[in-house]
Amino acid sequence: MAKDKTLFTCTECGGTSPRWLGKCPSCNAWNTLIESVAEAGPGKNRYSGAQFAGLAQAQAVMPLAAIEATDIARTPSGIDELDRVLGGGIVEGGVVLIGGDPGIGKSTLLLQALDALQRAGLPTLYVTGEESGAQVALRSRRLGLDHSQVNVLAEIQLEKILATIESMQPAVAVIDSIQTVYSDQLTSAPGSVAQVRECAAHLTRCAKASGVAIVLVGHVTKEGALAGPRVLEHMVDTVLYFEGDTHSQFRLVRAIKNRFGAVNEIGVFAMTEKGLKGVSNPSAIFLSQHSEPVPGSCVMVTLEGTRPLLVEIQALVDSGGPSPRRLSVGLDKDRLAMLLAVLHRHAGVACMDQDVFVNAVGGVRISEPAADLAVMLAITSSLRGKALPQGFIAFGEVGLAGEVRPAPRGQERLREAAKLGFSVAVVPKANAPKKPIEGLTIHAVERVEEAMNVVRGMG
Ligand code: TYD
Ligand code: MG
């Protein structure tokens, strides 16, 4: 076989250059050329090797109605919270990407899952590029998985990994991590965008052709995740991200893309000395313990996925310098700026000369706009130095005109809050239940200023 030549391809326009240039010669975009492999000859695509034979056959064209809609067969991983985010289990030939900060528990969770699958009688393969076989063994002992039959391969060269998967045909193979794998075809270093993309593309095709489910582990890099899992999201079937604070006990695994299930479903785990344990009733873990209500804290009910979760939003407003700071952890920063403007314009609460910090407790990330009202109430509470009443919750989206918009499935959120002993709620008018909920006093509001007045009246 002729040796493939390296080539540099523009990620914007697809133009090519034989050498690396700062500017794409075709579309003049800067810094978009990445290394790729030139095809060896006409009609000889580098993906046409024996391992891709399943893809090479031409398929007959059929009307949609004539194609049998077979349900996807899923194999439960044996870890309930992981199955929940996967949409029921691992799918044959499916490719899952698990991203997250280093040390958050990716390797731990996958080793536990592989062991459970292996115990259920499925052949599994764990390819480790970051740790030696001995280190993986040490971890498995620590997890209490003595006598584990999971097959381990310490290898980082893509071609050898593919050959092993081909010959062994496991049900599930984990590649830990994709950033350590390199292909001989490219000269760039492992972990570069070119290598990560090329290796993931090969592994994905291998999964589709052989029916082996492949899980890719990816680290989120500090520099905006350039060479991290982000560049792979479009290639794979399912994308899961670990959230949570490495210093706290709890970890969230969130599905942000799933061709085989619902997105935004979350799995909740607690890190123990025996590995990750699923938390089946997680609604109250993201609340901090205050013996007395404190200023700058407001609890909201978020509903991403199928389970409601109570999360405490904290705000600190403090006099700032000439250019005050706005900082948010776990919440969108642009949205914070917007909410501060709405607060000023429609409720007369001015923070122009103040530093504003907001935080979602426990390292959880909230992307739904239903957090708006809680963020605004926490900010106002901190600014005035007045705590919200005991047992208070709020949720609702706030628009630029100062209107409070309903959150999806409001009743469910309210019921969960009542179940956990919360007694006062400020919610959008459209979310107010027709029948009263026992133990919960509900104030339905249509506008931000109304919400502020309700809270002031509680004072
Ligand atoms: P790890 O799975 O190695 O993280 P990642 O693969 O995402 O980089 O996570 C390891 C962290 O979890 C590490 O800091 C030690 C801790 N840990 C426990 O607390 N209990 C355990 O049983 C294990 C195996 C790890
Ligand atoms: Mg790891």
Side-chain angles (χ1 to χ4, degrees):
M1 191 175 112
K3 176 100 178 80
D4 290 343
K5 275 208 295 285
T6 39
L7 193 74
F8 292 85
T9 311
C10 174
T11 52
E12 292 291 322
C13 69
T16 56
S17 156
R19 62 202 164 89
W20 190 84
L21 297 167
K23 189 162 139 185
C24 170
S26 314
C27 70
N28 292 333
W30 286 98
N31 216 5
T32 54
L33 289 184
I34 63 158
E35 193 188 13
S36 58
V37 185
E39 285 165 24
K44 186 102 179 77
N45 189 293
R46 68 198 139 98
Y47 293 125
S48 59
Q51 72 261 43
F52 307 117
L55 289 169
Q57 295 148 13
Q59 298 284 333
V61 178
M62 282 195 236
L64 202 47
I67 304 174
E68 205 181 328
T70 43
D71 213 13
I72 312 153
R74 296 160 201 275
T75 314
S77 67
I79 296 177
D80 291 347
E81 292 293 303
L82 180 61
D83 289 339
R84 170 188 284 277
V85 281
L86 286 172
I90 288 165
V91 176
E92 199 176 292
V95 182
V96 181
L97 171 70
I98 294 200
D101 293 334
I104 199 143
K106 301 180 292 296
S107 308
T108 306
L109 179 64
L110 292 172
L111 198 60
Q112 286 178 276
L114 283 192
D115 186 71
L117 286 164
Q118 184 79 39
R119 273 172 216 270
L122 294 163
T124 57
L125 177 66
Y126 182 81
V127 182
T128 167
E130 300 198 335
E131 293 160 305
S132 65
Q135 282 170 307
V136 178
L138 198 65
R139 184 199 302 269
S140 77
R141 304 291 187 276
R142 206 175 143 186
L143 293 170
L145 311 176
D146 306 5
H147 317 296
S148 176
Q149 296 301 309
V150 173
N151 297 294
V152 177
L153 171 72
E155 182 56 67
I156 56 170
Q157 201 204 321
L158 176 74
E159 287 73 18
K160 289 188 187 154
I161 296 172
L162 287 172
T164 311
I165 294 177
E166 280 300 304
S167 64
M168 192 194 140
Q169 286 289 328
V172 186
V174 169
I175 314 294
D176 191 0
S177 67
I178 188 69
Q179 273 117 339
T180 56
V181 179
Y182 76 96
S183 165
D184 261 354
Q185 311 260 3
L186 301 181
T187 50
S188 31
S192 61
V193 180
Q195 284 284 8
V196 167
R197 287 221 312 209
E198 180 73 11
C199 293
H202 270 287
L203 287 161
T204 305
R205 282 169 185 263
C206 168
K208 300 294 165 211
S210 65
V212 176
I214 293 188
V215 182
L216 307 173
V217 176
H219 292 294
V220 177
T221 51
K222 285 241 159 56
E223 307 78 40
L226 189 65
R230 281 283 143 96
V231 298
L232 305 178
E233 282 174 2
H234 66 283
M235 280 186 215
V236 301
D237 299 312
T238 305
V239 180
L240 308 181
Y241 275 105
F242 259 98
E243 287 174 17
D245 193 346
T246 25
H247 306 292
S248 94
Q249 192 194 0
F250 296 107
R251 306 281 193 274
L252 284 186
V253 178
R254 191 188 295 268
I256 64 154
K257 162 180 173 178
N258 198 349
R259 289 187 184 143
F260 308 122
V263 285
N264 263 332
E265 191 60 84
I266 52 178
V268 184
F269 295 92
M271 181 62 95
T272 67
E273 67 264 34
K274 286 249 160 162
L276 288 162
K277 291 252 154 46
V279 179
S280 50
N281 184 16
S283 51
I285 60 176
F286 294 106
L287 302 178
S288 50
Q289 309 294 328
H290 306 293
S291 48
E292 294 265 298
V294 292
S297 152
C298 181
V299 177
M300 74 160 296
V301 193
T302 168
L303 221 170
E304 293 185 88
T306 49
R307 286 179 301 189
L309 206 62
L310 280 96
V311 179
E312 180 180 336
I313 308 287
Q314 296 185 331
L316 178 66
V317 180
D318 197 19
S319 55
S323 52
R325 306 217 290 156
R326 274 92 183 78
L327 216 106
S328 67
V329 180
L331 292 149
D332 186 32
K333 195 161 164 246
D334 293 336
R335 198 140 188 115
L336 171 63
M338 189 194 100
L339 294 178
L340 287 171
V342 175
L343 207 50
H344 180 221
R345 184 66 186 267
H346 295 286
V349 180
C351 300
M352 275 92 77
D353 52 352
Q354 308 280 327
D355 284 341
V356 179
F357 307 98
V358 295
N359 173 34
V361 168
V364 58
R365 232 162 273 160
I366 301 176
S367 53
E368 62 163 2
D372 293 353
L373 201 53
V375 171
M376 287 176 142
L377 290 172
I379 290 171
T380 320
S381 159
S382 174
L383 184 69
R384 299 199 173 127
K386 260 184 86 180
L388 290 159
Q390 184 102 37
F392 179 92
I393 63 135
F395 60 82
E397 178 179 347
V398 175
L400 284 179
E403 80 279 18
V404 178
R405 299 201 202 116
R409 291 152 67 199
Q411 312 269 322
E412 236 173 286
R413 297 180 201 238
L414 288 169
R415 273 198 297 274
E416 185 69 18
K419 206 172 90 192
L420 288 162
F422 284 80
S423 53
V424 195
V426 173
V427 300
K429 190 147 213 163
N431 285 138
K434 301 216 167 44
K435 276 188 271 164
I437 294 177
E438 206 187 313
L440 196 62
T441 312
I442 295 167
H443 299 274
V445 296
E446 277 181 308
R447 304 204 40 88
V448 176
E449 49 272 40
E450 240 180 286
M452 297 298 153
N453 287 338
V454 167
V455 169
R456 207 172 296 150
M458 287 172 184

